[in-house]
Amino acid sequence: MNSLQALSRLLYKLVLLLFIGYVAQAQIPGGKGGPLSGSKDRKSRTGSSILDDSTKQVYGPETSRFLLESDLLTNRDTTYAIDTLLENIHNYNFVNRYNNRYVDLGNLGTAIRPVFYAPPAQIGTYFGMNVYDLYALTPDKIKYYDTKSPYTYLKYVQGGLYQQLLNLGHSRNINSRWNIGFDFQRLTSGKQYGYIQRSERQVDHYGVSAYTRWISSDSSYHILAHFSHQNHWVNEQGGILNNLGTDQSTLLDNFAENAVSQLIPAISGNPPTQMVRGNDYRNNWHIYHQYKFGNGFQIYHIFDRQTQRYDYYDNDNTYSEYTSVRGKDNFFYPDVSPSDTNYRYYFSDDTTHDVMRYVVYENRIGLKGKYQGWDYRLYARRRDFKATYTGLYTTTNTEYNPVTYKKGETFLGAWGQYSFKKNIKLYAEAEFLLFRDYKLSGTFESPWFKVSYLSMLYSPTFVQQRMYSNHFRWSNDFSPVSVNQLSGQLTLKYKALTFEPSASISNLANYIYLDQDITPQQSSAFQIFNVGASLNLHGKIFHTENQVVFTQTTNNVNVIRMPQWFINSRWYAEGFLFRKALFMQIGIDAHYKSDYYANAYMPAIAQFYLQDEFLVKGYPVIDVFANARVGRVRLFVKMSHINQGLVFGNGYFTTPYYPGQRRTLGFGVLWPLFD
C-alpha cells in the first residue's frame, strides 16, 4: 500500500470517529463544562451553555480552551484560549516563525538546522536524522482541547513561487469528560531553479495527528493520547552547479532561469521523473496518563513508540558530465577510497537507494506531587531501540543483507519547582543514564532577571556512531559530549520600553561534528560566548522589536561555525479602522547575519558538515507585511525579500550553493469556527 492510500484510510477513520462523536453528542443535553476545564476557569465555564443578555448561545476563543502535556505533567493548573492575535501570523516560513534562528536550503520545507549551538533536550542515544524535525507534529506541539462547541480551524497560505501551506484541525467534546480531534498539515513548494516545468515540485509534505483526552468522573484519572504521522518528500538538487572561481553575485543573477542543479535534474515527462529524492517518514504513538490519590500524590506513565525512516534515491549517481563540483572532479559524492579514484561506491556505481530505519520504544513511570512548597517528580525511564541500514543496489534489484544494531538504556531522574511568591520560581532537574550520561540543571526566574546553569554529559547520536550506505561508512566509539553552560538575562522596563540584555558562556569538550570530508570527528575543549540584547517599544500605535546577538568561539573555532553578528528588527503600526470593524498591522521585518563559512549539506545522509570553500556573505533581508483581523478571521499579505535588486544586492545564499528565496508575494487566511 502506498503512502497516499495509507493517508486516505487514516483520514477516513478520523472522519468516522468524528461522526461517532457527533452522534454521541446528540444524546447529551447541553454541553456541560466539567473535569476537562482547568480549575481557574471552572466557575465561569460550568452550566449547559454560555449565554449573553439575550440568552443567545455565544461560542468563541474562551469557550474552546486547550492545554499541553507539559502543563499536566508539571501540575500547572491552567488552560489557554484560542489565539486571535495578529502577532507573527505573516511569518509562515519555518525560518521566519522561529525568529530566523534556523537556516534552511532557501525554500519552504527543505532541510533545516539551528544557527546557534544548543545542547539536546534529553540525554541518551537518539537517531540524529533531525533536519526535518521542525515540520513534524511532535508530542510537545499537540494541543488537547476542552470545547463547549465543535471547534474547527483553517490556515491556508499561498506563498508565491509555488509555495503552499495548509493547516486544518477539528476538535469536539464527546461529553464533558472526553474530547477528540485531529490536525492535518499539507506543505508544498516548487523548485526555484534547475526545473523542467515551472511548477515542478521540490517539497511535498503530509502530516496528520489524531488525539484524545479523557478524565474520570472524580478527576482522579487523566489520559492524553495521540498518533502522529509525517511523510516528507524532497526532490534534492544539491545546490547550484558552479566552478569555484565564479563570483557569488554571478550565480545569483537570474539563477532561476539559468542555473543548473549539482544533482541530476528531472527527466522530461508529465510530470517530470525526479532523479534524486529524499524521504523522511515517521509514525509516533504516544500516551500520557496519571492517577491522583486522595492526598494529592500522583503516579504517571508515558509510553512512546516511534518509527523514523530516511530513504535516499539517486537513479544516476555517476555524474560523469559534471566537472569540478565543489572540488570533487566528476562526482557529487566524495570518494570512498581517496587512494583509489576508481573506488567511489560501496555497492553500486550507477544508482543509490539507501534506507535507514530507527524504531524506539520508551516507557517512563514516575511519582509526582507537592512536598514542603516543592512541586516534584521522581521517575525512571527505559528506551529500547533498533536501527537498520538496508537498500537496493544490484542490477537485479536484490536487497543486500540488512545491518542491524540494538541497544537499551535505563534512566533515573528528578525534577522540582519551588515558588517563593508570584512570578519568582526556582527550577531544578537531574537525570542519569546508568553508567554513562547525566544532566543537571537549575534556573532561578523572577520578573527582573533570570539565571540558568546546565551541566551535561550526552551520548553521540546513532548516525554519528554508525553509518552503512552506498557513499558513507563508519563505525565509531566516541566519548560522550560534555557541556557546562551558564546564562543570564536582565529585564528592565520603563513605561512602554523594555530592555533585556543577556549573556551566556558554554564550555564544550568532545564535541562531535562532520568535517570537510564528511567524516565524524570529535574535538578537544573550547568555549562559546554569546552576548545579546533586545529592545522593544510598544506604544498605542507604533511598535518596534529589535534583537542583536554577538557570538565568539575560542580555541577550536573551526569545529563549529556560527555568524558573529545576528540581528532581527521589526517596526510596525497597528490600530482599528472603519469604526473598529477592522484591526490592522502594517510593518517591516529585517534580518541580518554576518559573513561566515556556513555548513554545507549532504542529502544522501541528511547531515550538515564543515566546508572551507564557500563564504556565505552577510546580507540584510527585508520583508513588508500587512496583517488584519475582521471579526475572528485573520488575514495577511507579505512581500518577502522586497529589497532584492534594489538595495544591498541581487540576493543571498542561506547555505553553500543554495540561494535564498527571491522576492515573492504571499498571502494567507486563518479562520476559526466555533459551531
Side-chain angles (χ1 to χ4, degrees):
M1 180 185 299
N2 60 40
S3 59
L4 188 57
Q5 290 173 324
L7 180 62
S8 299
R9 291 190 63 179
L10 180 59
L11 289 176
Y12 170 77
K13 292 178 181 178
L14 289 175
V15 172
L16 181 61
L17 183 61
L18 290 171
F19 174 75
I20 294 171
Y22 275 108
V23 173
Q25 179 71 7
Q27 310 302 317
I28 301 170
K32 291 186 177 181
L36 285 180
S37 305
S39 63
K40 292 184 180 180
D41 305 304
R42 268 183 205 148
K43 183 176 180 180
S44 63
R45 301 175 64 210
T46 56
S48 61
S49 62
I50 307 297
L51 304 177
D52 65 10
D53 291 337
S54 64
T55 71
K56 179 181 178 181
Q57 289 189 355
V58 178
Y59 298 110
E62 287 292 338
T63 65
S64 295
R65 300 178 70 87
F66 68 89
L67 58 71
L68 303 173
E69 183 179 307
S70 59
D71 298 315
L72 195 59
L73 180 62
T74 56
N75 290 328
R76 283 195 294 266
D77 190 14
T78 186
T79 58
Y80 309 96
I82 304 300
D83 187 9
T84 58
L85 299 177
L86 294 182
E87 181 69 20
N88 219 33
I89 67 169
H90 59 283
N91 282 331
Y92 60 89
N93 182 290
F94 284 76
V95 171
N96 299 146
R97 71 171 67 175
Y98 288 95
N99 296 317
N100 302 297
R101 287 180 169 266
Y102 287 85
V103 172
D104 62 11
L105 305 184
N107 204 359
L108 181 67
T110 53
I112 194 167
R113 66 171 179 85
V115 174
F116 300 107
Y117 167 79
Q122 294 183 316
I123 57 177
T125 305
Y126 290 84
F127 191 20
M129 305 294 290
N130 52 19
V131 296
Y132 300 114
D133 282 0
L134 283 191
Y135 310 118
L137 296 170
T138 50
D140 60 302
K141 299 177 184 177
I142 303 297
K143 298 176 180 179
Y144 297 93
Y145 288 88
D146 175 19
T147 62
K148 297 297 169 283
S149 64
Y151 165 60
T152 303
Y153 72 88
L154 169 69
K155 178 180 180 180
Y156 176 75
V157 177
Q158 181 65 55
L161 297 177
Y162 298 93
Q163 297 181 86
Q164 287 185 326
L165 178 65
L166 171 66
N167 290 106
L168 175 67
H170 180 84
S171 182
R172 65 168 295 116
N173 279 14
I174 301 302
N175 56 44
S176 62
R177 296 180 287 107
W178 182 21
N179 177 273
I180 61 171
F182 74 90
D183 298 303
F184 176 75
Q185 178 174 272
R186 178 87 169 104
L187 184 158
T188 63
S189 61
K191 290 183 178 179
Q192 305 301 302
Y193 58 90
Y195 47 77
I196 295 174
Q197 298 177 1
R198 186 60 194 91
S199 59
E200 191 175 322
R201 289 270 173 85
Q202 182 173 13
V203 176
D204 201 333
H205 165 99
Y206 290 94
V208 65
S209 69
Y211 58 84
T212 188
R213 178 185 177 198
W214 185 84
I215 189 168
S216 63
S217 58
D218 62 357
S219 300
S220 61
Y221 181 72
H222 207 143
I223 183 170
L224 311 175
H226 77 264
F227 167 77
S228 62
H229 167 75
Q230 171 176 286
N231 196 0
H232 192 95
W233 285 95
V234 180
N235 296 317
E236 299 288 1
Q237 296 184 275
I240 293 177
L241 179 66
N242 175 52
N243 292 328
L244 296 178
T246 302
D247 186 78
Q248 289 188 28
S249 61
T250 304
L251 288 178
L252 291 168
D253 291 339
N254 302 314
F255 72 79
E257 289 75 19
N258 302 322
V260 178
S261 59
Q262 291 198 41
L263 290 168
I264 293 292
I267 296 176
S268 296
N270 192 16
T273 301
Q274 301 297 332
M275 298 298 290
V276 187
R277 306 188 77 188
N279 176 227
D280 187 280
Y281 183 95
R282 306 184 186 197
N283 287 325
N284 184 17
W285 297 90
H286 181 87
I287 298 173
Y288 172 92
H289 56 140
Q290 67 177 41
Y291 183 82
K292 184 177 181 179
F293 296 91
N295 59 0
F297 179 73
Q298 301 166 67
I299 184 171
Y300 71 94
H301 171 241
I302 303 175
F303 168 79
D304 272 291
R305 196 270 189 185
Q306 301 174 11
T307 301
Q308 183 179 358
R309 188 185 71 227
Y310 183 72
D311 294 59
Y312 182 74
Y313 309 81
D314 189 339
N315 294 321
D316 184 4
N317 61 25
T318 55
Y319 302 99
S320 57
E321 70 273 31
Y322 288 0
T323 59
S324 299
V325 179
R326 291 194 298 187
K328 308 292 192 300
D329 290 341
N330 301 328
F331 288 87
F332 176 80
Y333 308 103
D335 299 339
V336 300
S337 176
S339 62
D340 183 356
T341 57
N342 294 318
Y343 186 40
R344 301 178 183 271
Y345 305 90
Y346 287 110
F347 298 107
S348 173
D349 61 358
D350 56 10
T351 61
T352 294
H353 180 186
D354 289 327
V355 181
M356 292 174 274
R357 188 170 186 267
Y358 184 83
V359 180
V360 60
Y361 289 85
E362 180 168 325
N363 283 278
R364 179 185 304 193
I365 187 168
L367 308 174
K368 61 183 183 138
K370 290 182 178 291
Y371 180 74
Q372 295 186 353
W374 282 89
D375 290 302
Y376 70 89
R377 291 199 310 270
L378 303 172
Y379 63 88
R381 69 181 175 107
R382 172 73 182 183
R383 299 182 75 247
D384 292 279
F385 65 84
K386 179 175 71 173
T388 304
Y389 294 94
T390 187
L392 296 171
Y393 293 107
T394 68
T395 55
T396 58
N397 283 333
T398 57
E399 187 173 6
Y400 77 86
N401 292 328
V403 177
T404 301
Y405 302 90
K406 296 181 180 180
K407 189 176 181 181
E409 297 175 330
T410 302
F411 305 79
L412 297 176
W415 175 91
Q417 171 190 301
Y418 188 85
S419 298
F420 295 92
K421 58 181 181 178
K422 188 177 181 180
N423 297 328
I424 301 179
K425 297 179 180 180
L426 174 65
Y427 301 90
E429 182 179 5
E431 186 176 46
F432 300 91
L433 167 57
L434 299 185
F435 314 116
R436 188 172 174 90
D437 298 5
Y438 73 85
K439 177 182 180 181
L440 299 172
S441 66
T443 300
F444 183 83
E445 190 175 278
S446 78
W448 313 281
F449 67 93
K450 178 180 178 180
V451 178
S452 298
Y453 178 73
L454 170 69
S455 180
M456 198 172 186
L457 195 69
Y458 63 89
S459 296
T461 67
F462 189 82
V463 168
Q464 291 170 341
Q465 296 276 42
R466 303 283 183 269
M467 180 57 62
Y468 194 80
S469 70
N470 196 29
H471 304 288
F472 301 93
R473 186 180 296 180
W474 56 72
S475 179
N476 300 311
D477 188 19
F478 287 134
S479 300
V481 181
S482 172
V483 57
N484 287 276
Q485 188 176 75
L486 177 65
S487 59
Q489 176 182 294
L490 292 176
T491 300
L492 307 173
K493 294 184 178 181
Y494 178 72
K495 296 183 179 180
L497 186 67
T498 303
F499 178 59
E500 293 184 326
S502 61
S504 70
I505 180 172
S506 302
N507 295 318
L508 284 91
N510 297 324
Y511 175 74
I512 300 172
Y513 61 98
L514 292 180
D515 66 11
Q516 291 82 346
D517 295 321
I518 320 182
T519 303
Q521 303 290 348
Q522 196 153 34
S523 77
S524 56
F526 65 98
Q527 292 180 321
I528 302 173
F529 296 93
N530 290 101
V531 179
S534 65
L535 180 65
N536 302 327
L537 175 65
H538 293 288
K540 288 185 177 181
I541 297 176
F542 295 101
H543 305 258
T544 181
E545 300 170 0
N546 305 276
Q547 180 191 39
V548 59
V549 179
F550 175 80
T551 302
Q552 183 67 53
T553 306
T554 63
N555 298 336
N556 290 357
V557 68
N558 287 323
V559 305
I560 187 169
R561 309 282 175 81
M562 294 174 287
Q564 195 168 55
W565 290 100
F566 175 96
I567 301 172
N568 284 326
S569 185
R570 176 180 298 172
W571 298 72
Y572 64 95
E574 67 179 13
F576 284 101
L577 298 172
F578 307 113
R579 296 183 179 180
K580 295 190 176 182
L582 172 70
F583 186 79
M584 194 167 188
Q585 286 182 349
I586 299 177
I588 296 175
D589 274 334
H591 173 66
Y592 173 80
K593 288 190 288 287
S594 57
D595 300 357
Y596 73 118
Y597 284 95
N599 285 3
Y601 181 64
M602 171 48 66
I605 54 175
Q607 301 290 313
F608 287 89
Y609 65 95
L610 295 181
Q611 58 85 31
D612 299 319
E613 302 166 352
F614 195 103
L615 180 68
V616 173
K617 297 181 179 180
Y619 180 88
V621 180
I622 301 174
D623 307 330
V624 297
F625 63 89
N627 302 329
R629 183 175 66 237
V630 182
R632 291 169 180 162
V633 178
R634 292 175 291 168
L635 309 160
F636 73 83
V637 177
K638 176 182 179 180
M639 179 69 78
S640 301
H641 195 185
I642 195 172
N643 58 302
Q644 180 193 348
L646 302 176
V647 183
F648 307 118
N650 199 34
Y652 65 104
F653 286 89
T654 64
T655 302
Y657 296 101
Y658 287 92
Q661 187 92 109
R662 293 172 295 149
R663 182 168 53 245
T664 180
L665 178 67
F667 62 89
V669 57
L670 295 83
W671 195 343
L673 300 169
F674 297 97
D675 50 28

